Structure formats: structure tokens, C-alpha cells
Amino acid sequence: MTHVFVPLATRETDRPQSDFMEALTADASLTLGWITAGLTLLEVWWANWLRRWSFEQSAKGSEVEVKFERVRFNGLQFTRLKDASAFTLCAALATHVVLVVFGAPLVTHVLETALLAFVIALLTAFTPAFVLGLPSLASDTPVIDQQTDMDKALCWTITKECN
């Protein structure tokens, strides 16, 4: 962690870079590490916000029933976080294999490939797993059909476009 605050080594390039770009491109692992850390915080916040919004949209019944349901809902938050995190790590492993199959370096840039796989998995797998729960082959698994606002928000989270 101490090398974060050490002055960067100067490199000779055919075109001069700004100091900002030099800091970003000097160490790809460090840049990907910071991107991953920031993205993790943002995805946890976004997924939590979507999950609460989903609850508020679907809460029905009397005021007392909604309060009891909210207590049960809030009690599942850390279980959902643990399950979504484990699912994201599995998705990152699968993404890493796919990246290597499609030509990512297997031996020389392992850390960079792993961080890229984690970023892709975090962007695609964490939020739906946190909001909807883990995917399963059972028939009671929620389906994103883009008919409700919640489905559209999840679709946008995954693909950044919805019809």
C-alpha cells in the first residue's frame, strides 16, 4: 500500500502524457484495484437502494403488517449480501475462464485478468443476486420481463439499455 504515495517512475514515450494519464497508466494493477474498490462500494449502495425501492413498491397490507414485513426484510440483508458476494466471486471465476479462453494472458498478467473478471462480474451479477436472490432452476425464481419499473431498473443495471 505504501507504493501508492511514492512518486511515479518517469517513462519515455513517443508522445508526452499529462500527469493525470501518467498516473493512471503507470501501474495497471493499481488502477484496476482502485476501480474495483470504488465499484464495489457503488454496487453495494446501488443494489441496497434498489432492494429497498423494490420493497416499498411491493409492500401491501396494513401499517402493522408492513412494519413486520420490513423487519423480516431488513433481517435478510446480510444473508443476501453474503449470498450475492459468493455468487459474484463464482461469476468472476467463470468470467476469468472465459477471458482466458478468448485470449487473455494465462501466465503473465494474472492479476490484471482476475481484476477485470471481477469488475465484469460485479457489474453484471451482484445487483440482481442481491435484489432478487440467488438464481435457481426452480420455477419460483423471479423473471425479469421489463413490465414493471423494478424490472426495467434491473435490466438497465445489467445491460445499460431497455426497450
Side-chain angles (χ1 to χ4, degrees), residues 23-44:
L24 283 178
T25 59
D27 186 4
S29 299
L30 184 62
T31 301
L32 272 170
W34 282 111
I35 288 171
T36 303
L39 187 60
T40 300
L41 292 173
L42 285 174
E43 282 292 315
V44 169

Side-chain angles (χ1 to χ4, degrees), residues 42-108:
L42 285 174
E43 282 292 315
V44 169
W45 170 81
W46 173 243
N48 196 26
W49 187 89
L50 268 181
R51 188 167 177 265
R52 274 189 269 123
W53 181 57
S54 171
F55 173 78
E56 297 300 327
Q57 295 294 318
S58 64
K60 293 181 175 69
S62 68
E63 188 176 328
V64 173
E65 290 172 342
V66 170
K67 283 184 180 181
F68 280 127
E69 191 66 25
R70 183 175 286 120
V71 168
R72 187 188 68 76
F73 173 81
N74 288 337
L76 292 175
Q77 183 171 0
F78 289 110
T79 302
R80 284 278 179 98
L81 182 63
K82 178 184 61 122
D83 291 345
S85 298
F87 180 70
T88 303
L89 289 175
C90 291
L93 180 63
T95 305
H96 189 275
V97 169
V98 169
L99 288 172
V100 168
V101 166
F102 282 107
L106 181 61
V107 180
T108 56

Side-chain angles (χ1 to χ4, degrees), residues 143-153 155 162-163:
V143 176
I144 300 175
D145 60 2
Q146 296 185 19
Q147 298 300 317
T148 66
D149 291 337
M150 183 64 195
D151 292 342
K152 289 177 183 176
C155 174
C162 286
N163 298 334

Side-chain angles (χ1 to χ4, degrees), residues 2-10 22-23 26:
T2 58
H3 70 281
V4 173
F5 303 108
V6 175
L8 299 171
T10 58
E22 183 67 31

